[in-house]
Every structure is written in structure tokens, then in C-alpha cells.
């Protein structure tokens, strides 16, 4: 799959600033200094965003502060910062706080992201269902040999290769204030608690390193962190499993690889948005930066860093 899908950006100009006062609005949008707290999962995109935006707008400056998503959202709601970019939306409790305190903000979806489950390349585990993932991450499954998939070749390989301590599942998860931690708890565990045996990784770099070093490990990663910074090319020192999703009424879908193309197709089951929120409601540097992100230049960076553009059409080509 990895080498059989090519995504091409079919750029169309995206106009965010318009109206009779275009000249004045444009001036406000491309001058001044902007500080944004950004979800740590999207750190690979930040330097290119900053470099290209400031090159196009030399009188503007963007400062990124990388933080866990929950911390960034809290800072926005407490008015400690005016602009954030995070994966996923607000929690139910945060939405209630927003409503109660009548907090107003603008919202721009920047990219489509996916959440994948990775194993060591030497692991024979290549396919897992959504039910398997829930049982693994809640601790119901503690050994790889407990898992029986519809691929008997995989089941046999697990019995042959994952013996002794290698049969014991080593579970790695993100820290609790991470957007990935929240997403998996909601969308995979359906509110159940993570296994107490899970080891917590403070960063995605630490997560990748843990999976590389442990044959019996499984962990969680998002698209931008598994990309090596080249469109359609993933880090080969870890391997994402194919996931088959069960609906609530028990219908099973095909096993789908975690990949930029399947996220673009929306055939991969675990997808979310990367979104900019700002309490600056008028025309400001935020407006200019959002325009850049949603136009060709910003969306090209999104594509090259392994995510899926949200405002620019893409052509998906299968290479057989």
C-alpha cells in the first residue's frame, strides 16, 4: 500500500481576506508578532510553517510554543494565550465552560490527521481489529498469543516467534494531557481506562524509540510523527498495523493500513482534524497566518509532512 498511492495537490486559491477594505485588512494581517501554542504532535510542521510564512511576509513574525493539547486548550480558555493549534476538538467539560463563560473564538481546520498503532518491524503482528486494540490497551489481553485474527498465517507466526517474554505485550501510551491519549480513550477504548501496566511516553520521539527497542511492544502515533518529512514516506524503523474496524452493530470492515492515502480516502477508521483556534476575532496577524495555512503554500507543507490537506483538492493516484 505504501508505494501504491500517490497524492497530488491540485491547488486552487483560497481567499480568506476579501471586501472593500482589502488593502487595509491585508496590512493588518501580514504585520506584527503572533504567538501560538501548538499541540506537540504537530511539531514536525512548525519550522516550515514559520519559515515560509515569514519569507512571504517579512513584516510578520510567528512564535510557536509546543505544549500538550490539553494544556494549550486550558491556556486558551483561561485567556493566557489567544491562539492555539491542536489535534481534535474540545472536551464536553471544556465546551460547557465555553458556553457558560460566553467565550468566542474563530476556528480554522488546517489538516486531516490519523492515529495509528505501531509495532516493532520484527513483530509478526500485522493485523488487528478494533476489538483487539481495545482489549490490548485496556489490559484484557496481556499476551500476543491471546489474540486470534482471521489471518492464520499471522496466528502461527505469533506462536512460533513470540515465545517466552516476547509473548508478553509491552504497552506504550502517550501522557494523559496529550490529544492522542484523549482520542484513543474516546474512539478506541470508548471511555474505558487504559491498562495500569501501560508505560507512559512523554513525547512522540520517546514513543518511537520505545517501539524500536522492544520486539513485543505496541504503541500509538499520529501521521506527522511517523512521517520522515517526505510526502508518502514513513519511518521504516517501526511498522503500523492494519486495522479492521467493527461498527457498534457488529459489522466488520476490511483491514486498512495506516497511511496518508487511506486517511485521505477516509477508509482508515481513526481520523481527526488539526485545527487553529483564536480569540482574536478581528483582522490581525492570525487572519494572515490562517490564510497562508489554507492556501497553496501552507497546504503543500501539510501534504509534504505526511498529513492530508483540508482546503486544497488532492488527486489520489493508485500505482499498480
Amino acid at each position: 500500500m505504501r508505494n501504491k498511492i500517490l497524492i497530488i495537490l491540485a491547488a486552487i486559491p483560497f481567499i480568506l481576506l476579501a471586501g472593500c477594505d482589502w488593502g487595509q485588512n491585508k496590512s493588518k494581517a501580514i504585520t506584527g508578532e503572533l504567538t501560538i501554542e501548538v499541540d506537540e504532535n504537530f511539531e514536525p510542521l512548525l519550522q516550515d510553517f514559520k519559515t515560509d510564512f515569514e519569507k512571504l511576509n517579512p513584516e510578520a513574525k510567528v512564535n510557536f510554543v509546543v505544549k500538550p493539547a490539553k494544556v494549550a486548550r486550558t491556556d486558551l480558555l483561561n485567556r493566557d494565550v489567544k491562539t492555539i493549534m491542536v489535534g481534535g476538538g474540545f472536551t464536553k467539560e471544556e465546551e460547557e465552560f465555553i458556553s457558560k463563560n460566553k467565550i468566542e473564538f474563530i476556528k480554522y481546520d488546517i489538516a486531516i490527521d490519523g492515529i495509528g498503532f505501531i509495532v516493532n518491524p520484527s513483530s509478526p503482528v500485522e493485523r488487528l481489529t478494533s476489538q483487539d486494540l481495545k482489549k490490548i490497551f485496556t489490559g484484557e489481553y496481556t499476551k500476543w498469543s491471546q489474540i486470534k485474527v482471521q489471518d492464520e498465517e499471522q496466528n502461527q507466526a505469533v506462536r512460533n516467534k513470540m515465545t517466552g517474554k516476547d509473548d508478553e505485550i509491552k504497552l506504550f501510551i502517550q501522557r494523559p494531557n496529550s490529544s492522542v491519549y484523549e482520542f484513543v480513550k474516546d474512539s478506541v477504548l470508548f471511555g474505558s481506562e487504559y491498562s495500569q501496566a501501560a508505560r507512559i511516553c512523554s513525547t512522540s520521539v520517546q514513543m518511537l524509540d520505545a517501539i524500536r527497542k522492544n520486539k513485543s511492544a505496541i504503541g500509538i502515533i499520529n501521521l506527522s510523527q511517523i512521517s520522515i518529512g517526505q510526502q508518502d514516506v514513513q519511518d521504516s524503523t517501526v511498522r503500523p498495523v492494519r486495522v479492521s474496524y467493527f461498527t457498534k452493530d457488529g459489522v466488520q470492515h476490511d483491514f486498512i493500513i495506516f497511511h496518508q492515502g487511506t486517511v485521505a480516502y477516509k477508509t482508515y477508521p481513526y481520523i481527526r482534524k488539526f485545527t487553529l483556534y483564536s480569540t482574536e476575532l478581528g483582522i490581525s496577524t492570525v487572519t494572515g497566518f490562517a490564510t497562508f495555512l489554507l492556501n497553496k503554500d501552507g497546504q503543500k507543507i501539510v501534504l509534504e509532512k505526511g498529513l492530508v490537506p483540508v482546503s486544497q483538492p488532492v488527486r489520489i493516484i493508485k500505482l499498480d
Side-chain angles (χ1 to χ4, degrees):
M1 172 70 74
R2 180 176 307 174
N3 297 320
K4 293 186 178 181
I5 296 179
L6 179 64
I7 305 178
I8 299 173
L9 194 67
I12 295 177
F14 180 92
I15 304 300
L16 187 63
L17 299 174
C20 298
D21 297 327
W22 162 251
Q24 183 179 355
N25 288 343
K26 182 179 179 182
S27 177
K28 290 180 181 178
I30 59 174
T31 59
E33 190 166 346
L34 173 64
T35 297
I36 307 176
E37 290 189 3
V38 185
D39 187 332
E40 58 195 347
N41 290 286
F42 300 98
E43 190 169 5
L45 291 81
L46 301 185
Q47 187 57 54
D48 284 354
F49 279 163
K50 176 179 175 65
T51 299
D52 286 16
F53 177 69
E54 292 180 354
K55 181 186 291 186
L56 291 169
N57 306 287
E59 295 184 30
K61 182 176 177 61
V62 179
N63 302 308
F64 292 116
V65 180
V66 177
K67 290 193 175 183
K70 187 174 183 180
V71 175
R73 296 197 310 267
T74 299
D75 287 347
L76 181 74
L77 299 187
N78 288 339
R79 296 180 170 85
D80 294 326
V81 68
K82 293 182 178 180
T83 307
I84 65 172
M85 293 198 299
V86 295
F90 293 98
T91 65
K92 182 179 179 181
E93 292 76 15
E94 290 166 345
E95 288 176 347
E96 290 173 352
F97 182 89
I98 291 168
S99 177
K100 180 180 179 181
N101 291 276
K102 296 181 172 56
I103 299 174
E104 295 183 280
F105 53 80
I106 51 176
K107 170 186 174 182
Y108 305 105
D109 290 330
I110 304 304
I112 302 172
D113 183 30
I115 304 298
F117 303 88
I118 51 175
V119 295
N120 187 285
S122 64
S123 170
V125 177
E126 297 189 6
R127 293 173 174 81
L128 293 171
T129 68
S130 56
Q131 295 174 347
D132 294 331
L133 289 170
K134 181 179 181 181
K135 291 178 180 179
I136 289 170
F137 283 93
T138 57
E140 183 174 344
Y141 285 157
T142 59
K143 296 181 181 295
W144 288 111
S145 57
Q146 292 176 278
I147 304 170
K148 301 293 186 291
V149 297
Q150 293 134 311
D151 182 353
E152 186 51 40
E153 185 176 343
Q154 174 177 309
N155 296 334
Q156 185 62 48
V158 168
R159 289 192 293 269
N160 293 340
K161 297 180 180 181
M162 306 298 269
T163 59
K165 288 189 176 182
D166 286 340
D167 191 27
E168 298 174 5
I169 297 173
K170 291 182 180 178
L171 188 59
F172 293 90
I173 63 175
Q174 276 80 2
R175 52 181 165 174
N177 52 8
S178 162
S179 61
V180 173
Y181 179 100
E182 295 173 330
F183 180 92
V184 172
K185 186 172 182 180
D186 290 343
S187 302
V188 181
L189 309 189
F190 296 104
S192 297
E193 296 298 326
Y194 285 92
S195 168
Q196 293 186 352
R199 299 161 172 85
I200 296 176
C201 295
S202 298
T203 65
S204 295
V205 172
Q206 187 180 15
M207 171 69 70
L208 291 165
D209 191 51
I211 304 303
R212 293 180 188 118
K213 292 178 178 177
N214 292 278
K215 178 181 178 182
S216 60
I218 184 169
I220 317 167
I221 205 72
N222 78 307
L223 265 179
S224 64
Q225 291 288 354
I226 200 174
S227 168
I228 64 171
Q230 300 174 21
Q231 179 189 343
D232 202 42
V233 181
Q234 293 180 340
D235 186 338
S236 61
T237 63
V238 297
R239 176 167 49 77
V241 298
R242 293 176 179 267
V243 176
S244 171
Y245 184 77
F246 275 89
T247 64
K248 291 182 180 179
D249 55 2
V251 176
Q252 183 179 3
H253 291 263
D254 292 339
F255 284 94
I256 304 295
I257 192 64
F258 178 57
H259 180 270
Q260 189 183 31
T262 59
V263 170
Y265 269 127
K266 298 184 180 178
T267 54
Y268 185 76
Y270 300 117
I271 296 174
R272 62 178 185 166
K273 296 281 184 64
F274 176 38
T275 304
L276 182 150
Y277 298 92
S278 182
T279 55
E280 290 199 46
L281 303 182
I283 300 298
S284 66
T285 314
V286 173
T287 321
F289 185 62
T291 301
F292 161 76
L293 293 176
L294 293 170
N295 265 314
K296 179 185 68 174
D297 296 312
Q299 293 291 283
K300 182 179 179 182
I301 294 171
V302 165
L303 184 67
E304 289 176 345
K305 294 298 182 180
L307 298 182
V308 177
V310 72
S311 70
Q312 300 288 301
V314 295
R315 293 176 57 202
I316 303 174
I317 302 172
K318 286 187 177 181
L319 304 177
D320 297 323

